Amino acid sequence: MSEKISEKSDKKSNTATDKSIVKTNETIPVSKEKVAEKTQDDLDETAKMKAEAERMLAEAARAKAEAERMLEEAARVKAETEKKAAKTESQSNQKRDLSAQKDASQSKDVSKKIEKTDKSKNEANTASETPKSGMKKTESASKKTETASKGSGRTRSLNDGLENTRSHGFLAQIGRIFKGELKSSVVDELEEILFTADIGVKTAEHLLDEVTENLKDKGDGAAAMALLRQEVENILKSCEKPFVIGDEKPHVILTIGVNGAGKTTTLGKMASQLTAQGKKVLLIAGDTFRAAAIEQLEEWAVRCGCEIYRNKQGADPSGTIFDGIKYAKEHGFDVALADTAGRLNNKKDLIEELKKIHRVSGKAMSGAPHQVLLVLDATNGQNALAQARDFGEAIDFDGIILTKLDGTAKGGVLIGICEELKKPVYFIGIGEMIEDLRKFEAEEFVEALFLKE
């Protein structure tokens, strides 16, 4: 009985096992298909990722190539810019040298004329010494101010000095259209003349408005010209102010301006005039860049019997002016006149150096410089007005000296300078002689400007 039961149990077990095997055999093919399908999907996804990676690598290679191209282009542009800058700098240096040669030549001519005039009365004996500080003393052995007070030949009149401006400038053109009875086209002609003159747009508009407003009441050109003259005089009088040396000892004056404006020559003439007035004057050769600038100022020192503080060419201008002011203070000078190198008004680095000189002066002596004078060349016309604007933005200068009026028809620029800048004009230059640096007086200037030939 038990054996039957066991046999039956074994049969059931075997049957169950067979069923399990059959079931297992049935499910295996299904799993392989799924695995195969999944594997294919993975392969496809891997292929896609590989393709995307290759695309990205290709894009990166293109970007790298473009970056390299841009770097090469930037290097090429930089090289061209540096080449142009070097060329411009070379041209600028050539102009500086030519200007230096011209100034030196003019100074020698002036010196010869003065020596010829003074020879019969006084022979200058100059004692020179050079201490460690770089100070070179130049004094006349005889009367110290005698040479400074003398010029050469006759004193040039303001009428002579403004002859070119009066005869060939914009006022001469206006005089022709205001001649006799006024024409109906006079306003148009006046507008054209004013706006092409060297007085600046703002001044041209002002004069045009003032004159045309009253032209209808003027029956002839003489009355219209008188009106124009009055307006010009009103503008110029706003800039007339006496040049005063303060009580500081020394009273430090710093001159600024572009290359060739006449700063060094102007300082020499100022030194001569101040020495003649009994002032103890020190010239400080702060233009250590331009060739012959120091020698030119030395010549003026000898000529006017004053002293000069100098350093070697190429020395730091700020340091030279600092030491010069200290020397003037220690040795009881009344006035210290500091020369500076010509600076292009649109060159930021040069203007920054000028600002440094200004700051250093204040460290050498509290309140210095007591006056900053901008020297402008009248032959530059409207460019002189632009220079004044640019320098005014960099340094708050106190007054203006307009030089070389005798050699140009663009003297009308002074009207534009006064109208636009509202700064005092202390001196005007109308020639090479010491006396040709004249105090600016508006009424006298207008009289010479509108003089009837």
Side-chain angles (χ1 to χ4, degrees):
M1 181 77 176
S2 60
E3 291 176 358
K4 287 181 180 181
I5 292 172
S6 177
E7 184 179 349
K8 189 176 181 180
S9 176
D10 290 340
K11 284 181 179 180
K12 286 182 179 179
S13 177
N14 290 337
T15 303
T17 301
D18 292 341
K19 287 182 179 179
S20 176
I21 291 171
V22 171
K23 189 175 180 180
T24 303
N25 289 339
E26 289 175 351
T27 57
I28 287 174
V30 175
S31 298
K32 285 182 177 180
E33 289 174 0
K34 287 184 178 180
V35 169
E37 184 179 346
K38 187 174 183 304
T39 301
Q40 186 61 44
D41 290 343
D42 290 343
L43 289 173
D44 292 343
E45 184 65 26
T46 302
K48 287 180 182 178
M49 291 175 66
K50 182 179 179 183
E52 179 65 16
E54 289 175 348
R55 187 191 65 78
M56 291 176 67
L57 285 172
E59 184 65 27
R62 282 196 295 270
K64 181 181 178 182
E66 179 65 16
E68 290 175 349
R69 187 192 66 78
M70 292 176 67
L71 286 172
E72 289 176 359
E73 179 66 16
R76 185 186 64 78
V77 172
K78 181 181 178 182
E80 289 181 357
T81 302
E82 290 176 347
K83 185 177 179 181
K84 289 179 181 178
K87 184 177 180 181
T88 301
E89 183 66 22
S90 175
Q91 291 174 345
S92 177
N93 290 338
Q94 289 176 3
K95 288 181 180 179
R96 284 175 188 248
D97 293 339
L98 287 172
S99 177
Q101 292 172 8
K102 182 179 178 182
D103 288 345
S105 176
Q106 290 177 347
S107 295
K108 287 178 181 178
D109 290 342
V110 174
S111 180
K112 288 177 181 177
K113 291 176 183 177
I114 293 174
E115 288 172 4
K116 185 177 179 180
T117 303
D118 295 343
K119 190 174 181 181
S120 59
K121 294 183 178 180
N122 177 36
E123 182 175 355
N125 295 315
T126 304
S128 301
E129 59 184 9
T130 311
K132 280 184 180 180
S133 62
M135 180 65 207
K136 185 169 183 179
K137 184 177 180 181
T138 51
E139 292 186 26
S140 172
S142 59
K143 292 182 180 179
K144 190 174 181 181
T145 61
E146 186 174 350
T147 305
S149 63
K150 297 176 192 250
S152 171
R154 71 181 181 86
T155 301
R156 191 183 186 95
S157 71
L158 187 57
N159 291 344
D160 293 338
L162 295 181
E163 182 180 358
N164 281 328
T165 296
R166 182 174 59 249
S167 303
H168 307 293
F170 79 101
L171 287 175
Q173 299 176 54
I174 292 176
R176 285 190 284 273
I177 66 170
F178 280 176
K179 205 167 187 178
E181 188 175 346
L182 297 177
K183 300 177 183 178
S184 58
S185 61
V186 67
V187 174
D188 292 335
E189 293 180 59
L190 178 62
E191 181 178 13
E192 182 180 354
I193 292 171
L194 288 174
F195 279 91
T196 54
D198 289 284
I199 58 176
V201 174
K202 183 178 179 180
T203 308
E205 288 177 342
H206 172 78
L207 291 177
L208 183 65
D209 290 344
E210 291 295 327
V211 174
T212 54
E213 177 69 23
N214 295 279
L215 271 179
K216 55 187 177 183
D217 301 325
K218 308 300 177 187
D220 57 55
M225 199 65 173
L227 173 65
L228 179 64
R229 172 175 173 156
Q230 186 58 54
E231 286 301 324
V232 169
E233 187 170 337
N234 291 341
I235 292 172
L236 293 179
K237 277 189 173 181
S238 67
C239 290
E240 182 182 324
K241 185 179 178 181
F243 179 71
V244 178
I245 298 295
D247 296 330
E248 305 87 358
K249 281 190 177 292
H251 184 81
V252 180
I253 298 172
L254 185 70
T255 58
I256 61 175
V258 301
N259 308 323
K263 294 185 299 301
T264 304
T265 300
T266 297
L267 272 188
K269 292 177 181 179
M270 286 181 67
S272 296
Q273 294 180 8
L274 290 170
T275 302
Q277 295 169 18
K279 301 286 186 184
K280 186 178 181 181
V281 179
L282 176 69
L283 287 169
I284 303 176
D287 183 357
T288 59
F289 178 80
R290 179 169 65 88
I294 297 173
E295 289 77 8
Q296 186 183 353
L297 205 61
E298 277 186 324
E299 190 175 331
W300 276 107
V302 172
R303 193 177 307 160
C304 66
C306 69
E307 294 186 28
I308 179 171
Y309 189 95
R310 57 160 294 173
N311 208 331
K312 63 182 181 180
Q313 188 174 340
D316 176 41
S318 299
T320 300
I321 291 176
F322 178 90
D323 292 340
I325 294 173
K326 283 285 190 183
Y327 182 92
K329 188 176 179 181
E330 292 167 2
H331 292 80
F333 283 87
D334 299 313
V335 184
L337 301 174
D339 192 14
T340 62
R343 279 163 172 77
L344 298 174
N345 51 300
N346 56 356
K347 292 290 185 183
K348 186 178 179 181
D349 56 335
L350 297 178
I351 292 297
E352 287 302 318
E353 186 180 335
L354 196 59
K355 290 179 181 179
K356 178 184 175 184
I357 291 173
H358 193 278
R359 291 193 303 270
V360 167
S361 298
K363 293 178 181 179
M365 178 181 179
S366 179
H370 304 103
Q371 293 194 66
V372 178
L373 302 182
L374 175 62
V375 181
L376 297 172
D377 180 352
T379 63
N380 287 327
Q382 286 200 55
N383 283 337
L385 185 56
Q387 291 164 14
R389 290 193 203 102
D390 292 343
F391 275 107
E393 291 176 2
I395 290 183
D396 185 21
F397 60 87
D398 300 284
I400 294 169
I401 300 174
L402 187 65
T403 64
K404 307 180 185 180
L405 278 164
D406 56 313
T408 182
K410 301 176 181 179
V413 68
L414 183 59
I415 305 169
I417 289 171
C418 289
E419 168 72 6
E420 186 165 335
L421 301 179
K422 309 297 184 187
K423 292 279 189 180
V425 177
Y426 289 128
F427 298 99
I428 55 174
I430 58 169
E432 295 181 352
M433 300 299 104
I434 292 171
E435 296 84 355
D436 290 335
L437 182 68
R438 302 170 62 100
K439 178 175 70 172
F440 173 66
E441 295 179 346
E443 188 174 345
E444 180 188 29
F445 190 89
V446 171
E447 182 69 33
L449 201 59
F450 285 83
L451 181 68
K452 293 181 179 179
E453 301 291 346

